[in-house]
Amino acid sequence: MKTRRMIAATALTAVGLLLTACGGGGSGDSGDGPVTLTFQSLSDQPAAIAATQKIVGDWNQAHPDVQVKIVQAGWDGVYDKLITQFNAGTAPDIVHYEAAGIAPFATDGYLADLTQYLPEQKRADIPKGVLDSVTVDGKVIAAPTELQSYVVFANKTQLQQAGVTIPTGATMTWDQLRDIAKATTKDGKFGLGWGLSSPTAAFVALAPGFGGKYFEGTGDKANVTIGPGEQALPQLVDAMAHQDHSILPVTLTQSGTKALAPFYAGQIAMTVQGSYQAANIAKDAPKGFDWVVLPPLAGSAGPAQAANPQTLSVNKDSGHVKEAAEFVDFFTGTENLAAINEADALIPPTTSARQALTTKLGAKNGWNAILASGQYLTSAPYLFAGKYAQWKDTVATPAYQQFLGQKIDAAGLAKQLEDGWKSVSK
């Protein structure tokens, strides 16, 4: 293993607590009984927790000599927790996280290369862009498990009342969305609500549809370029908000979840959301609320969106890398991926699991459109930019907020984003 740099050494103050939580670093077998692997799971929805427990239970029943123990954790603070665990040698054997967060641990040499453990057939079942998101320096450092896309939820009744023909094709263009938003903006109601209080994630994820990449290079050598492809969507949102006046203004300062309230109230006809919100809408929308998921959005370069999947990785220092990798392969089987993604209202990362879920669920609660969007997920250059998270929080989000608030123009936005990257990446 290459020499590792100690990341965030100050986090070691929490080691004592983590030793208690994780039992001193992974495999808990004594040599006489079965191998015990620790699996730190971040699933936090009851249905997803139950699905994870079933998958682990099925594995344990079929593999009496290799038992997996779930260590339930949460998403809050998980990055710092993993830093502490890896630095202290207490990290679990199997690590649940996401591509954007796990890449630095791979770069620092903490994760096993799974290439030899994931069958070629499975790797071929994962779209190239998604597989790219978990590949670092030519090594597959994680198996993708769940994905989300950004989709348009629409109040079917409002669209019909406005005389709008509801799109039913394989995709719909952003121009179509703009036209529908104009047509449904009347009588004090707005065509669209989009929670953009933290807009960077959405703008970066949707940029590939306009040919935008944001980042070139990896790690400390990554550079930001803000050109037409990166500017297209922010400028479109600005035009809809301030020229068409078809976006409910308050939603630009709200979270996506808060933007659902005016959707339920009929104050907006459509809302752009993470696809997982389908489960919340199905559960929380008023009785009789007739809603639909519109086809995947396509920009000038097509319907592409950047993929940032949830992942499972294997601790390189596990005493049982092979067994842990075999469990990861089991967890990401077609039936298991379909089950966990149905439970979490997310999109399976393999073609076979997506097809299985499409066959099972059909158009119920917009699943057909949501699952169709999964085929357009592609590589995400920002995943491998070393200071992306810092740039996102301290530079990009404030700059986008200023732009959407009309405090700076497009040129000023580009300058802030590019100069800010140079500052944080020194």
PDB file of all heavy atoms in Angstrom, residues 147 149 151 275 293 296 337-338 341-342 345-351 353-377:
ATOM      1  N   LEU A 147     -29.192   5.365  -7.080  1.00  0.00           N
ATOM      2  CA  LEU A 147     -29.000   6.623  -7.795  1.00  0.00           C
ATOM      3  C   LEU A 147     -30.259   7.478  -7.704  1.00  0.00           C
ATOM      4  O   LEU A 147     -31.359   6.964  -7.497  1.00  0.00           O
ATOM      5  CB  LEU A 147     -28.723   6.354  -9.280  1.00  0.00           C
ATOM      6  CG  LEU A 147     -27.401   5.688  -9.650  1.00  0.00           C
ATOM      7  CD1 LEU A 147     -27.542   4.967 -10.978  1.00  0.00           C
ATOM      8  CD2 LEU A 147     -26.294   6.737  -9.735  1.00  0.00           C
ATOM      9  N   SER A 149     -32.069  10.981  -9.852  1.00  0.00           N
ATOM     10  CA  SER A 149     -32.010  11.945 -10.945  1.00  0.00           C
ATOM     11  C   SER A 149     -32.909  13.115 -10.566  1.00  0.00           C
ATOM     12  O   SER A 149     -33.638  13.063  -9.569  1.00  0.00           O
ATOM     13  CB  SER A 149     -32.487  11.318 -12.258  1.00  0.00           C
ATOM     14  OG  SER A 149     -33.855  10.949 -12.149  1.00  0.00           O
ATOM     15  N   VAL A 151     -36.113  15.198 -11.719  1.00  0.00           N
ATOM     16  CA  VAL A 151     -37.274  15.031 -12.598  1.00  0.00           C
ATOM     17  C   VAL A 151     -38.300  16.121 -12.316  1.00  0.00           C
ATOM     18  O   VAL A 151     -38.213  16.830 -11.309  1.00  0.00           O
ATOM     19  CB  VAL A 151     -37.926  13.637 -12.431  1.00  0.00           C
ATOM     20  CG1 VAL A 151     -36.958  12.526 -12.800  1.00  0.00           C
ATOM     21  CG2 VAL A 151     -38.433  13.448 -11.002  1.00  0.00           C
ATOM     22  N   SER A 275     -35.597  12.617  -7.737  1.00  0.00           N
ATOM     23  CA  SER A 275     -36.589  11.596  -8.063  1.00  0.00           C
ATOM     24  C   SER A 275     -37.128  10.867  -6.834  1.00  0.00           C
ATOM     25  O   SER A 275     -38.268  10.397  -6.836  1.00  0.00           O
ATOM     26  CB  SER A 275     -35.994  10.587  -9.046  1.00  0.00           C
ATOM     27  OG  SER A 275     -34.775  10.055  -8.538  1.00  0.00           O
ATOM     28  N   VAL A 293     -45.218  12.258 -13.250  1.00  0.00           N
ATOM     29  CA  VAL A 293     -43.812  12.578 -13.487  1.00  0.00           C
ATOM     30  C   VAL A 293     -43.621  12.736 -14.992  1.00  0.00           C
ATOM     31  O   VAL A 293     -43.954  11.830 -15.763  1.00  0.00           O
ATOM     32  CB  VAL A 293     -42.866  11.480 -12.948  1.00  0.00           C
ATOM     33  CG1 VAL A 293     -41.408  11.856 -13.213  1.00  0.00           C
ATOM     34  CG2 VAL A 293     -43.085  11.274 -11.450  1.00  0.00           C
ATOM     35  N   PRO A 296     -37.935  12.508 -18.839  1.00  0.00           N
ATOM     36  CA  PRO A 296     -36.628  13.078 -18.496  1.00  0.00           C
ATOM     37  C   PRO A 296     -36.311  14.329 -19.314  1.00  0.00           C
ATOM     38  O   PRO A 296     -36.588  14.386 -20.514  1.00  0.00           O
ATOM     39  CB  PRO A 296     -35.655  11.933 -18.821  1.00  0.00           C
ATOM     40  CG  PRO A 296     -36.473  10.694 -18.685  1.00  0.00           C
ATOM     41  CD  PRO A 296     -37.841  11.066 -19.147  1.00  0.00           C
ATOM     42  N   LEU A 337     -30.793  -5.250  -5.609  1.00  0.00           N
ATOM     43  CA  LEU A 337     -30.778  -3.840  -5.997  1.00  0.00           C
ATOM     44  C   LEU A 337     -32.194  -3.342  -6.282  1.00  0.00           C
ATOM     45  O   LEU A 337     -32.544  -2.202  -5.924  1.00  0.00           O
ATOM     46  CB  LEU A 337     -29.896  -3.627  -7.230  1.00  0.00           C
ATOM     47  CG  LEU A 337     -28.387  -3.661  -7.003  1.00  0.00           C
ATOM     48  CD1 LEU A 337     -27.650  -3.441  -8.325  1.00  0.00           C
ATOM     49  CD2 LEU A 337     -27.951  -2.599  -5.985  1.00  0.00           C
ATOM     50  N   ALA A 338     -33.007  -4.162  -6.908  1.00  0.00           N
ATOM     51  CA  ALA A 338     -34.392  -3.765  -7.163  1.00  0.00           C
ATOM     52  C   ALA A 338     -35.126  -3.535  -5.851  1.00  0.00           C
ATOM     53  O   ALA A 338     -35.864  -2.554  -5.700  1.00  0.00           O
ATOM     54  CB  ALA A 338     -35.098  -4.827  -8.006  1.00  0.00           C
ATOM     55  N   ASN A 341     -33.775  -0.296  -3.919  1.00  0.00           N
ATOM     56  CA  ASN A 341     -34.143   0.945  -4.604  1.00  0.00           C
ATOM     57  C   ASN A 341     -35.649   1.196  -4.563  1.00  0.00           C
ATOM     58  O   ASN A 341     -36.076   2.349  -4.460  1.00  0.00           O
ATOM     59  CB  ASN A 341     -33.630   0.933  -6.044  1.00  0.00           C
ATOM     60  CG  ASN A 341     -32.160   1.299  -6.131  1.00  0.00           C
ATOM     61  OD1 ASN A 341     -31.808   2.470  -6.182  1.00  0.00           O
ATOM     62  ND2 ASN A 341     -31.287   0.295  -6.107  1.00  0.00           N
ATOM     63  N   GLU A 342     -36.437   0.143  -4.607  1.00  0.00           N
ATOM     64  CA  GLU A 342     -37.876   0.334  -4.433  1.00  0.00           C
ATOM     65  C   GLU A 342     -38.161   0.872  -3.036  1.00  0.00           C
ATOM     66  O   GLU A 342     -38.970   1.794  -2.862  1.00  0.00           O
ATOM     67  CB  GLU A 342     -38.625  -0.980  -4.655  1.00  0.00           C
ATOM     68  CG  GLU A 342     -40.130  -0.826  -4.483  1.00  0.00           C
ATOM     69  CD  GLU A 342     -40.896  -2.130  -4.681  1.00  0.00           C
ATOM     70  OE1 GLU A 342     -40.253  -3.177  -4.926  1.00  0.00           O
ATOM     71  OE2 GLU A 342     -42.145  -2.093  -4.586  1.00  0.00           O
ATOM     72  N   ALA A 345     -37.077   4.484  -2.962  1.00  0.00           N
ATOM     73  CA  ALA A 345     -37.593   5.277  -4.088  1.00  0.00           C
ATOM     74  C   ALA A 345     -36.446   5.880  -4.890  1.00  0.00           C
ATOM     75  O   ALA A 345     -36.462   7.063  -5.243  1.00  0.00           O
ATOM     76  CB  ALA A 345     -38.544   6.372  -3.610  1.00  0.00           C
ATOM     77  N   LEU A 346     -35.441   5.061  -5.177  1.00  0.00           N
ATOM     78  CA  LEU A 346     -34.289   5.485  -5.960  1.00  0.00           C
ATOM     79  C   LEU A 346     -34.138   4.601  -7.193  1.00  0.00           C
ATOM     80  O   LEU A 346     -34.988   3.746  -7.462  1.00  0.00           O
ATOM     81  CB  LEU A 346     -33.033   5.483  -5.091  1.00  0.00           C
ATOM     82  CG  LEU A 346     -33.009   6.576  -4.015  1.00  0.00           C
ATOM     83  CD1 LEU A 346     -31.857   6.366  -3.037  1.00  0.00           C
ATOM     84  CD2 LEU A 346     -32.906   7.968  -4.636  1.00  0.00           C
ATOM     85  N   ILE A 347     -33.083   4.821  -7.956  1.00  0.00           N
ATOM     86  CA  ILE A 347     -32.907   4.180  -9.260  1.00  0.00           C
ATOM     87  C   ILE A 347     -31.773   3.165  -9.191  1.00  0.00           C
ATOM     88  O   ILE A 347     -30.646   3.522  -8.812  1.00  0.00           O
ATOM     89  CB  ILE A 347     -32.591   5.238 -10.334  1.00  0.00           C
ATOM     90  CG1 ILE A 347     -33.705   6.289 -10.391  1.00  0.00           C
ATOM     91  CG2 ILE A 347     -32.390   4.581 -11.694  1.00  0.00           C
ATOM     92  CD1 ILE A 347     -33.345   7.503 -11.232  1.00  0.00           C
ATOM     93  N   PRO A 348     -32.004   1.912  -9.546  1.00  0.00           N
ATOM     94  CA  PRO A 348     -30.923   0.923  -9.540  1.00  0.00           C
ATOM     95  C   PRO A 348     -29.820   1.307 -10.519  1.00  0.00           C
ATOM     96  O   PRO A 348     -30.106   1.821 -11.611  1.00  0.00           O
ATOM     97  CB  PRO A 348     -31.611  -0.373  -9.965  1.00  0.00           C
ATOM     98  CG  PRO A 348     -33.054  -0.162  -9.672  1.00  0.00           C
ATOM     99  CD  PRO A 348     -33.295   1.298  -9.908  1.00  0.00           C
ATOM    100  N   PRO A 349     -28.558   1.028 -10.182  1.00  0.00           N
ATOM    101  CA  PRO A 349     -27.452   1.400 -11.060  1.00  0.00           C
ATOM    102  C   PRO A 349     -27.171   0.396 -12.165  1.00  0.00           C
ATOM    103  O   PRO A 349     -26.340   0.666 -13.033  1.00  0.00           O
ATOM    104  CB  PRO A 349     -26.270   1.483 -10.091  1.00  0.00           C
ATOM    105  CG  PRO A 349     -26.592   0.465  -9.044  1.00  0.00           C
ATOM    106  CD  PRO A 349     -28.086   0.502  -8.895  1.00  0.00           C
ATOM    107  N   THR A 350     -27.812  -0.761 -12.130  1.00  0.00           N
ATOM    108  CA  THR A 350     -27.592  -1.735 -13.194  1.00  0.00           C
ATOM    109  C   THR A 350     -28.796  -1.776 -14.121  1.00  0.00           C
ATOM    110  O   THR A 350     -29.939  -1.559 -13.698  1.00  0.00           O
ATOM    111  CB  THR A 350     -27.354  -3.154 -12.638  1.00  0.00           C
ATOM    112  OG1 THR A 350     -28.527  -3.581 -11.925  1.00  0.00           O
ATOM    113  CG2 THR A 350     -26.152  -3.178 -11.702  1.00  0.00           C
ATOM    114  N   THR A 351     -28.540  -2.068 -15.378  1.00  0.00           N
ATOM    115  CA  THR A 351     -29.613  -2.133 -16.365  1.00  0.00           C
ATOM    116  C   THR A 351     -30.602  -3.224 -16.017  1.00  0.00           C
ATOM    117  O   THR A 351     -31.825  -3.036 -16.119  1.00  0.00           O
ATOM    118  CB  THR A 351     -29.021  -2.374 -17.760  1.00  0.00           C
ATOM    119  OG1 THR A 351     -28.117  -1.306 -18.076  1.00  0.00           O
ATOM    120  CG2 THR A 351     -30.109  -2.444 -18.811  1.00  0.00           C
ATOM    121  N   ALA A 353     -31.418  -4.549 -13.054  1.00  0.00           N
ATOM    122  CA  ALA A 353     -32.259  -4.219 -11.896  1.00  0.00           C
ATOM    123  C   ALA A 353     -33.263  -3.126 -12.246  1.00  0.00           C
ATOM    124  O   ALA A 353     -34.404  -3.147 -11.774  1.00  0.00           O
ATOM    125  CB  ALA A 353     -31.392  -3.783 -10.723  1.00  0.00           C
ATOM    126  N   ARG A 354     -32.853  -2.176 -13.079  1.00  0.00           N
ATOM    127  CA  ARG A 354     -33.776  -1.117 -13.504  1.00  0.00           C
ATOM    128  C   ARG A 354     -34.919  -1.722 -14.325  1.00  0.00           C
ATOM    129  O   ARG A 354     -36.089  -1.362 -14.151  1.00  0.00           O
ATOM    130  CB  ARG A 354     -33.022  -0.063 -14.301  1.00  0.00           C
ATOM    131  CG  ARG A 354     -33.805   1.235 -14.492  1.00  0.00           C
ATOM    132  CD  ARG A 354     -32.962   2.339 -15.070  1.00  0.00           C
ATOM    133  NE  ARG A 354     -32.500   2.036 -16.408  1.00  0.00           N
ATOM    134  CZ  ARG A 354     -31.248   1.845 -16.758  1.00  0.00           C
ATOM    135  NH1 ARG A 354     -30.296   1.919 -15.838  1.00  0.00           N
ATOM    136  NH2 ARG A 354     -30.912   1.584 -18.005  1.00  0.00           N
ATOM    137  N   GLN A 355     -34.592  -2.659 -15.201  1.00  0.00           N
ATOM    138  CA  GLN A 355     -35.625  -3.315 -16.005  1.00  0.00           C
ATOM    139  C   GLN A 355     -36.553  -4.146 -15.129  1.00  0.00           C
ATOM    140  O   GLN A 355     -37.776  -4.158 -15.343  1.00  0.00           O
ATOM    141  CB  GLN A 355     -34.971  -4.183 -17.078  1.00  0.00           C
ATOM    142  CG  GLN A 355     -34.268  -3.377 -18.172  1.00  0.00           C
ATOM    143  CD  GLN A 355     -33.483  -4.252 -19.134  1.00  0.00           C
ATOM    144  OE1 GLN A 355     -33.166  -5.412 -18.847  1.00  0.00           O
ATOM    145  NE2 GLN A 355     -33.151  -3.695 -20.293  1.00  0.00           N
ATOM    146  N   ALA A 356     -35.993  -4.819 -14.137  1.00  0.00           N
ATOM    147  CA  ALA A 356     -36.816  -5.631 -13.242  1.00  0.00           C
ATOM    148  C   ALA A 356     -37.799  -4.765 -12.470  1.00  0.00           C
ATOM    149  O   ALA A 356     -38.978  -5.126 -12.305  1.00  0.00           O
ATOM    150  CB  ALA A 356     -35.923  -6.406 -12.271  1.00  0.00           C
ATOM    151  N   LEU A 357     -37.334  -3.606 -12.012  1.00  0.00           N
ATOM    152  CA  LEU A 357     -38.204  -2.721 -11.252  1.00  0.00           C
ATOM    153  C   LEU A 357     -39.252  -2.074 -12.162  1.00  0.00           C
ATOM    154  O   LEU A 357     -40.407  -1.876 -11.755  1.00  0.00           O
ATOM    155  CB  LEU A 357     -37.362  -1.653 -10.555  1.00  0.00           C
ATOM    156  CG  LEU A 357     -37.923  -1.055  -9.262  1.00  0.00           C
ATOM    157  CD1 LEU A 357     -38.364  -2.140  -8.302  1.00  0.00           C
ATOM    158  CD2 LEU A 357     -36.873  -0.166  -8.608  1.00  0.00           C
ATOM    159  N   THR A 358     -38.879  -1.773 -13.397  1.00  0.00           N
ATOM    160  CA  THR A 358     -39.832  -1.218 -14.355  1.00  0.00           C
ATOM    161  C   THR A 358     -40.953  -2.218 -14.629  1.00  0.00           C
ATOM    162  O   THR A 358     -42.142  -1.856 -14.673  1.00  0.00           O
ATOM    163  CB  THR A 358     -39.127  -0.863 -15.678  1.00  0.00           C
ATOM    164  OG1 THR A 358     -38.106   0.109 -15.419  1.00  0.00           O
ATOM    165  CG2 THR A 358     -40.104  -0.297 -16.682  1.00  0.00           C
ATOM    166  N   THR A 359     -40.594  -3.478 -14.802  1.00  0.00           N
ATOM    167  CA  THR A 359     -41.591  -4.525 -15.038  1.00  0.00           C
ATOM    168  C   THR A 359     -42.528  -4.667 -13.848  1.00  0.00           C
ATOM    169  O   THR A 359     -43.748  -4.818 -14.006  1.00  0.00           O
ATOM    170  CB  THR A 359     -40.894  -5.871 -15.312  1.00  0.00           C
ATOM    171  OG1 THR A 359     -40.076  -5.746 -16.475  1.00  0.00           O
ATOM    172  CG2 THR A 359     -41.903  -6.981 -15.518  1.00  0.00           C
ATOM    173  N   LYS A 360     -41.973  -4.575 -12.655  1.00  0.00           N
ATOM    174  CA  LYS A 360     -42.785  -4.759 -11.453  1.00  0.00           C
ATOM    175  C   LYS A 360     -43.722  -3.589 -11.191  1.00  0.00           C
ATOM    176  O   LYS A 360     -44.895  -3.779 -10.849  1.00  0.00           O
ATOM    177  CB  LYS A 360     -41.876  -4.961 -10.237  1.00  0.00           C
ATOM    178  CG  LYS A 360     -42.646  -5.105  -8.923  1.00  0.00           C
ATOM    179  CD  LYS A 360     -41.716  -5.264  -7.732  1.00  0.00           C
ATOM    180  CE  LYS A 360     -42.535  -5.391  -6.435  1.00  0.00           C
ATOM    181  NZ  LYS A 360     -41.656  -5.507  -5.244  1.00  0.00           N
ATOM    182  N   LEU A 361     -43.224  -2.357 -11.355  1.00  0.00           N
ATOM    183  CA  LEU A 361     -43.961  -1.182 -10.899  1.00  0.00           C
ATOM    184  C   LEU A 361     -44.711  -0.446 -11.994  1.00  0.00           C
ATOM    185  O   LEU A 361     -45.653   0.300 -11.712  1.00  0.00           O
ATOM    186  CB  LEU A 361     -43.004  -0.209 -10.195  1.00  0.00           C
ATOM    187  CG  LEU A 361     -42.305  -0.762  -8.959  1.00  0.00           C
ATOM    188  CD1 LEU A 361     -41.300   0.239  -8.428  1.00  0.00           C
ATOM    189  CD2 LEU A 361     -43.315  -1.118  -7.874  1.00  0.00           C
ATOM    190  N   GLY A 362     -44.288  -0.604 -13.252  1.00  0.00           N
ATOM    191  CA  GLY A 362     -44.961   0.089 -14.336  1.00  0.00           C
ATOM    192  C   GLY A 362     -44.969   1.593 -14.144  1.00  0.00           C
ATOM    193  O   GLY A 362     -43.963   2.195 -13.771  1.00  0.00           O
ATOM    194  N   ALA A 363     -46.133   2.215 -14.349  1.00  0.00           N
ATOM    195  CA  ALA A 363     -46.249   3.675 -14.259  1.00  0.00           C
ATOM    196  C   ALA A 363     -46.677   4.148 -12.873  1.00  0.00           C
ATOM    197  O   ALA A 363     -46.831   5.349 -12.656  1.00  0.00           O
ATOM    198  CB  ALA A 363     -47.246   4.173 -15.298  1.00  0.00           C
ATOM    199  N   LYS A 364     -46.833   3.241 -11.941  1.00  0.00           N
ATOM    200  CA  LYS A 364     -47.288   3.610 -10.599  1.00  0.00           C
ATOM    201  C   LYS A 364     -46.384   4.673  -9.991  1.00  0.00           C
ATOM    202  O   LYS A 364     -45.164   4.538  -9.964  1.00  0.00           O
ATOM    203  CB  LYS A 364     -47.305   2.358  -9.720  1.00  0.00           C
ATOM    204  CG  LYS A 364     -47.722   2.622  -8.276  1.00  0.00           C
ATOM    205  CD  LYS A 364     -47.632   1.349  -7.447  1.00  0.00           C
ATOM    206  CE  LYS A 364     -47.967   1.607  -5.989  1.00  0.00           C
ATOM    207  NZ  LYS A 364     -47.824   0.382  -5.153  1.00  0.00           N
ATOM    208  N   ASN A 365     -47.015   5.756  -9.507  1.00  0.00           N
ATOM    209  CA  ASN A 365     -46.294   6.851  -8.843  1.00  0.00           C
ATOM    210  C   ASN A 365     -45.124   7.380  -9.670  1.00  0.00           C
ATOM    211  O   ASN A 365     -44.096   7.790  -9.117  1.00  0.00           O
ATOM    212  CB  ASN A 365     -45.799   6.410  -7.459  1.00  0.00           C
ATOM    213  CG  ASN A 365     -46.942   6.140  -6.499  1.00  0.00           C
ATOM    214  OD1 ASN A 365     -48.040   6.661  -6.672  1.00  0.00           O
ATOM    215  ND2 ASN A 365     -46.710   5.314  -5.502  1.00  0.00           N
ATOM    216  N   GLY A 366     -45.292   7.369 -10.987  1.00  0.00           N
ATOM    217  CA  GLY A 366     -44.269   7.945 -11.849  1.00  0.00           C
ATOM    218  C   GLY A 366     -43.025   7.109 -12.034  1.00  0.00           C
ATOM    219  O   GLY A 366     -42.031   7.575 -12.604  1.00  0.00           O
ATOM    220  N   TRP A 367     -43.049   5.848 -11.603  1.00  0.00           N
ATOM    221  CA  TRP A 367     -41.846   5.025 -11.644  1.00  0.00           C
ATOM    222  C   TRP A 367     -41.315   4.839 -13.060  1.00  0.00           C
ATOM    223  O   TRP A 367     -40.099   4.780 -13.264  1.00  0.00           O
ATOM    224  CB  TRP A 367     -42.122   3.657 -11.019  1.00  0.00           C
ATOM    225  CG  TRP A 367     -41.864   3.602  -9.540  1.00  0.00           C
ATOM    226  CD1 TRP A 367     -42.801   3.562  -8.544  1.00  0.00           C
ATOM    227  CD2 TRP A 367     -40.598   3.574  -8.876  1.00  0.00           C
ATOM    228  NE1 TRP A 367     -42.193   3.519  -7.311  1.00  0.00           N
ATOM    229  CE2 TRP A 367     -40.835   3.511  -7.491  1.00  0.00           C
ATOM    230  CE3 TRP A 367     -39.277   3.587  -9.334  1.00  0.00           C
ATOM    231  CZ2 TRP A 367     -39.822   3.474  -6.547  1.00  0.00           C
ATOM    232  CZ3 TRP A 367     -38.247   3.546  -8.391  1.00  0.00           C
ATOM    233  CH2 TRP A 367     -38.517   3.493  -7.014  1.00  0.00           C
ATOM    234  N   ASN A 368     -42.188   4.751 -14.052  1.00  0.00           N
ATOM    235  CA  ASN A 368     -41.698   4.515 -15.414  1.00  0.00           C
ATOM    236  C   ASN A 368     -40.814   5.659 -15.889  1.00  0.00           C
ATOM    237  O   ASN A 368     -39.746   5.435 -16.475  1.00  0.00           O
ATOM    238  CB  ASN A 368     -42.875   4.296 -16.380  1.00  0.00           C
ATOM    239  CG  ASN A 368     -43.883   5.441 -16.356  1.00  0.00           C
ATOM    240  OD1 ASN A 368     -43.962   6.211 -15.412  1.00  0.00           O
ATOM    241  ND2 ASN A 368     -44.675   5.540 -17.409  1.00  0.00           N
ATOM    242  N   ALA A 369     -41.221   6.901 -15.643  1.00  0.00           N
ATOM    243  CA  ALA A 369     -40.415   8.054 -16.054  1.00  0.00           C
ATOM    244  C   ALA A 369     -39.142   8.172 -15.214  1.00  0.00           C
ATOM    245  O   ALA A 369     -38.064   8.495 -15.728  1.00  0.00           O
ATOM    246  CB  ALA A 369     -41.237   9.338 -15.947  1.00  0.00           C
ATOM    247  N   ILE A 370     -39.262   7.906 -13.920  1.00  0.00           N
ATOM    248  CA  ILE A 370     -38.092   7.991 -13.040  1.00  0.00           C
ATOM    249  C   ILE A 370     -37.049   6.961 -13.440  1.00  0.00           C
ATOM    250  O   ILE A 370     -35.860   7.273 -13.570  1.00  0.00           O
ATOM    251  CB  ILE A 370     -38.527   7.796 -11.571  1.00  0.00           C
ATOM    252  CG1 ILE A 370     -39.322   9.019 -11.095  1.00  0.00           C
ATOM    253  CG2 ILE A 370     -37.315   7.570 -10.678  1.00  0.00           C
ATOM    254  CD1 ILE A 370     -39.986   8.827  -9.752  1.00  0.00           C
ATOM    255  N   LEU A 371     -37.478   5.726 -13.626  1.00  0.00           N
ATOM    256  CA  LEU A 371     -36.533   4.675 -13.990  1.00  0.00           C
ATOM    257  C   LEU A 371     -35.956   4.911 -15.382  1.00  0.00           C
ATOM    258  O   LEU A 371     -34.780   4.608 -15.629  1.00  0.00           O
ATOM    259  CB  LEU A 371     -37.203   3.310 -13.902  1.00  0.00           C
ATOM    260  CG  LEU A 371     -37.555   2.869 -12.471  1.00  0.00           C
ATOM    261  CD1 LEU A 371     -38.472   1.649 -12.479  1.00  0.00           C
ATOM    262  CD2 LEU A 371     -36.288   2.575 -11.673  1.00  0.00           C
ATOM    263  N   ALA A 372     -36.750   5.469 -16.289  1.00  0.00           N
ATOM    264  CA  ALA A 372     -36.240   5.777 -17.627  1.00  0.00           C
ATOM    265  C   ALA A 372     -35.112   6.795 -17.554  1.00  0.00           C
ATOM    266  O   ALA A 372     -34.152   6.737 -18.333  1.00  0.00           O
ATOM    267  CB  ALA A 372     -37.363   6.299 -18.511  1.00  0.00           C
ATOM    268  N   SER A 373     -35.191   7.718 -16.599  1.00  0.00           N
ATOM    269  CA  SER A 373     -34.138   8.732 -16.474  1.00  0.00           C
ATOM    270  C   SER A 373     -32.795   8.117 -16.085  1.00  0.00           C
ATOM    271  O   SER A 373     -31.737   8.693 -16.338  1.00  0.00           O
ATOM    272  CB  SER A 373     -34.539   9.799 -15.455  1.00  0.00           C
ATOM    273  OG  SER A 373     -34.537   9.285 -14.128  1.00  0.00           O
ATOM    274  N   GLY A 374     -32.836   6.923 -15.478  1.00  0.00           N
ATOM    275  CA  GLY A 374     -31.595   6.277 -15.056  1.00  0.00           C
ATOM    276  C   GLY A 374     -30.674   5.913 -16.199  1.00  0.00           C
ATOM    277  O   GLY A 374     -29.453   5.854 -16.027  1.00  0.00           O
ATOM    278  N   GLN A 375     -31.234   5.693 -17.379  1.00  0.00           N
ATOM    279  CA  GLN A 375     -30.395   5.310 -18.516  1.00  0.00           C
ATOM    280  C   GLN A 375     -29.542   6.472 -19.020  1.00  0.00           C
ATOM    281  O   GLN A 375     -28.612   6.266 -19.798  1.00  0.00           O
ATOM    282  CB  GLN A 375     -31.266   4.780 -19.651  1.00  0.00           C
ATOM    283  CG  GLN A 375     -32.175   5.802 -20.284  1.00  0.00           C
ATOM    284  CD  GLN A 375     -33.120   5.210 -21.306  1.00  0.00           C
ATOM    285  OE1 GLN A 375     -32.690   4.699 -22.333  1.00  0.00           O
ATOM    286  NE2 GLN A 375     -34.419   5.238 -21.001  1.00  0.00           N
ATOM    287  N   TYR A 376     -29.856   7.683 -18.590  1.00  0.00           N
ATOM    288  CA  TYR A 376     -29.138   8.853 -19.086  1.00  0.00           C
ATOM    289  C   TYR A 376     -28.088   9.363 -18.102  1.00  0.00           C
ATOM    290  O   TYR A 376     -27.448  10.380 -18.351  1.00  0.00           O
ATOM    291  CB  TYR A 376     -30.128   9.978 -19.391  1.00  0.00           C
ATOM    292  CG  TYR A 376     -31.203   9.578 -20.374  1.00  0.00           C
ATOM    293  CD1 TYR A 376     -32.557   9.587 -20.017  1.00  0.00           C
ATOM    294  CD2 TYR A 376     -30.872   9.171 -21.667  1.00  0.00           C
ATOM    295  CE1 TYR A 376     -33.540   9.213 -20.914  1.00  0.00           C
ATOM    296  CE2 TYR A 376     -31.855   8.791 -22.567  1.00  0.00           C
ATOM    297  CZ  TYR A 376     -33.183   8.817 -22.182  1.00  0.00           C
ATOM    298  OH  TYR A 376     -34.154   8.432 -23.079  1.00  0.00           O
ATOM    299  N   LEU A 377     -27.915   8.679 -16.979  1.00  0.00           N
ATOM    300  CA  LEU A 377     -26.916   9.107 -16.008  1.00  0.00           C
ATOM    301  C   LEU A 377     -25.519   8.825 -16.539  1.00  0.00           C
ATOM    302  O   LEU A 377     -25.237   7.741 -17.052  1.00  0.00           O
ATOM    303  CB  LEU A 377     -27.152   8.401 -14.672  1.00  0.00           C
ATOM    304  CG  LEU A 377     -28.441   8.854 -13.962  1.00  0.00           C
ATOM    305  CD1 LEU A 377     -28.823   7.892 -12.860  1.00  0.00           C
ATOM    306  CD2 LEU A 377     -28.283  10.263 -13.409  1.00  0.00           C
TER     307      LEU A 377
END
